[in-house]
Amino acid sequence: MERTAVNPVTWSQEMGFNQGEIVSRESRTLYISGQTAMSKDGQPEHDGDIAAQLALAVDNLEAVLSEAGMSLANLVRLNVYTTDVDTLLPHYGVLAGRLGAAGVAPTTTMLEVTRLTVPGQLVELEGTAVE
């Protein structure tokens, strides 16, 4: 897979995402359902702790990628849903650091929503990966 960043402005790169990405020669695309802070047995974790929920959501995102034979390096699109953007932003480095370590800056959208499906969940990550 060849990735070409498209950034008519540069401020987004400082926040860890590209404005757009051209993906060439893709062979497989993985669409990842929203991942939250759920344990392996389907129980919500870290009630009220958005930083811990974000870290576990990234772990769960990586688990799906790994099961498909991919990694964060394959992530080309990331949607971040949160019940409180202002509370999430100071902890966004948890996610940005993991993406940076993988050498990737996927196109990203962050949305504040009224609530997520499971009560007490504060953040959900949905992605698209290409190999």
Side-chain angles (χ1 to χ4, degrees):
M1 166 180 71
E2 181 180 329
R3 299 165 70 135
T4 304
V6 178
N7 288 301
V9 297
T10 59
W11 63 264
S12 63
Q13 293 169 293
E14 295 171 16
M15 294 185 69
F17 69 94
N18 290 316
Q19 293 291 313
E21 283 195 344
I22 298 169
V23 178
S24 305
R25 294 184 302 213
E26 60 201 76
S27 59
R28 291 190 317 144
T29 302
L30 172 65
Y31 299 95
I32 305 163
S33 293
Q35 300 298 306
T36 60
M38 299 293 278
S39 67
K40 292 184 188 304
D41 61 355
Q43 298 303 309
E45 299 282 330
H46 311 298
D47 190 37
D49 185 344
I50 200 165
Q53 285 192 21
L54 179 59
L56 184 51
V58 177
D59 288 346
N60 290 338
L61 181 74
E62 279 194 290
V64 175
L65 287 161
S66 179
E67 186 73 17
M70 297 183 188
S71 71
L72 285 175
N74 296 99
L75 204 60
V76 297
R77 178 85 181 130
L78 181 66
N79 294 328
V80 179
Y81 303 96
T82 181
T83 58
D84 190 336
V85 170
D86 293 330
T87 301
L88 178 62
L89 284 176
H91 305 287
Y92 198 74
V94 170
L95 175 58
R98 302 264 296 266
L99 295 172
V104 66
T107 60
T108 302
T109 297
M110 181 185 293
L111 297 170
E112 184 171 300
V113 296
T114 304
R115 65 164 280 197
L116 297 172
T117 302
V118 177
Q121 294 291 285
L122 305 172
V123 63
E124 185 166 340
L125 306 176
E126 173 189 68
T128 304
V130 177
E131 179 183 63

